[in-house]
Amino acid sequence: MALDLETRDQLIDTVRRFVTERLRPLEAQVSETDTMPQDVIEEMKALGLFGLSIPEEYGGMDLNMEEECLVAVELGRTSPAFRSAFGTNVGIGAQGLVMFGTPEQKQKYLPGIASGDIITSFALTEPEAGSDSANVQVRAVLDGDHYVLNGSKRYITNANKAHLFTVMCRTDASKPGAGGVTALLVERDLPGLSVGKPEKKMGQQGAHICDVNFDNVRVPVANRLGREGEGFKVAMQVLDRGRLHISAVCIGVAERLIADSVAYAGERKQFGQAIAQFQLIQGMIADCKTEALAAKALTFETARKRDAGQSVTLEAAASKYFASEMVGRVADKAVQIFGGAGYIADYGIERFYRDVRIFRIYEGTSQIQQVIISRETIKRGG
């Protein structure tokens, strides 16, 4: 159910002030220490950020897709690592449970997810499965009223903090591809589950990814999401929403970079005048602004279609494809506008340049989005 306009505006204003007053001053510290301050996490909990998309009956805000995108744009105006702290609770780590969970599963987990007391994680990627998401090899063998889980997942966001994993696993070895994949809710403290050390990454320090290993982990059948063999369906529907969320974050980052570039170009003088007066600088600013506006229009049009109950698999893929590629180009131009200052750490532009690179990879690479867009376009006949 959509918020009334006054409540929505108050929420956006609160998030905007939190980003400006609390998060932006901490960007360099988080990047240097690769650690998210616990007091900031507690403030995020108090603001309800962990429960943006969780139904109200379980303590969440139950934002629709357009409202979630509005919040995500504001969160994009600071280092993406901050959003990642609660992003899996809002998106891929929890939406499978929201969409496909039984009443008992929802009652057990969603209140804790909404409050931030339970951190969730989405375990899909493996050494041989990522873009080929139907090729998961982690095995779950039925043994009485439990599945016995074996194998490893790779590059799993928030794995070192997660209390609950949505794990895509193969329950039917006789069915290759999507038909043999099932989704299980796996609690962190089950015997045999271990999490590797956080990987060293190109960007987004403060947000961690790790391997997750399963050694004869016994998972109750009651923790299965949907029916056996429906795991791929769960994953794809979760990713539709997640792609729009990421699109909105990309828009927010682009708007931040454009604002910083315009401010710098107005102050930096060369040849006796501000570089903002030079047409080649103006051309880069114009390109960045136009692309950001186009991404915003596409993303929010798609969000409204999804809220209206329309299928948006094509449009969500197109939004994510365009927005993630767009913010990469904007970051590149921002470095160029800042010149040498953009290449050093003091201004933070080089950090954003590194941070945004991952947007073209997770929630489906740009190439996977192209496959989806073309496939769905052909299905529709144009």
Side-chain angles (χ1 to χ4, degrees), residues 131-362:
S131 294
D132 185 7
S133 52
N135 190 40
V136 297
Q137 298 302 312
V138 166
R139 291 281 286 119
V141 177
L142 190 60
D143 180 24
D145 58 357
H146 285 74
Y147 288 100
V148 181
L149 199 57
N150 281 283
S152 295
K153 295 291 184 178
R154 177 163 286 180
Y155 308 142
I156 306 304
T157 302
N158 284 340
N160 56 329
K161 298 179 176 65
H163 306 96
L164 183 69
F165 297 89
T166 300
V167 179
M168 297 297 148
C169 53
R170 186 159 300 281
T171 48
D172 190 342
S174 68
K175 291 183 180 178
V181 177
T182 299
L184 298 179
L185 297 169
V186 182
E187 295 179 8
R188 167 67 171 269
D189 59 0
L190 290 179
L193 190 155
S194 62
V195 176
K197 294 188 300 183
E199 301 281 356
K200 293 183 179 180
K201 311 191 308 301
M202 179 181 183
Q204 295 204 23
Q205 280 68 39
H208 299 145
I209 61 173
C210 312
D211 286 356
V212 182
N213 305 302
F214 307 99
D215 182 10
N216 290 321
V217 177
R218 295 183 64 82
V219 182
V221 171
N223 277 31
R224 187 179 65 214
L225 272 181
R227 293 192 292 269
E228 194 168 287
E230 284 191 339
F232 190 75
K233 174 184 173 183
V234 171
M236 292 306 101
Q237 291 200 27
V238 166
L239 287 170
D240 269 359
R241 181 168 186 140
R243 285 166 181 156
L244 286 170
H245 180 101
I246 292 299
S247 300
V249 174
C250 289
I251 293 161
V253 175
E255 290 182 350
R256 159 73 182 273
L257 288 169
I258 292 167
D260 287 356
S261 297
V262 168
Y264 183 80
E267 297 169 358
R268 173 67 169 163
K269 289 184 169 57
Q270 289 290 281
F271 305 101
Q273 61 182 320
I275 64 172
Q277 300 303 311
F278 294 110
Q279 288 183 333
L280 292 177
I281 297 294
Q282 292 172 0
M284 287 191 283
I285 292 171
D287 286 348
C288 291
K289 186 64 175 180
T290 301
E291 288 205 69
L293 286 170
K296 195 169 193 175
L298 174 59
T299 298
F300 279 88
E301 178 186 28
T302 304
R304 288 188 286 271
K305 283 183 176 180
R306 189 183 187 280
D307 287 335
Q310 297 180 38
S311 173
V312 293
T313 297
L314 188 160
E315 291 83 356
S319 299
K320 197 269 179 180
Y321 176 43
F322 186 79
S324 62
E325 294 285 339
M326 173 277 294
V327 77
R329 291 188 290 268
V330 170
D332 185 72
K333 286 185 173 69
V335 172
Q336 198 70 12
I337 292 168
F338 273 76
Y343 197 73
I344 64 172
D346 290 356
Y347 289 84
I349 300 300
E350 60 82 31
R351 182 178 65 245
F352 275 102
Y353 182 82
R354 291 181 286 107
D355 285 347
V356 302
R357 187 60 183 84
I358 189 64
F359 290 138
R360 283 180 269 174
I361 297 172
Y362 61 28

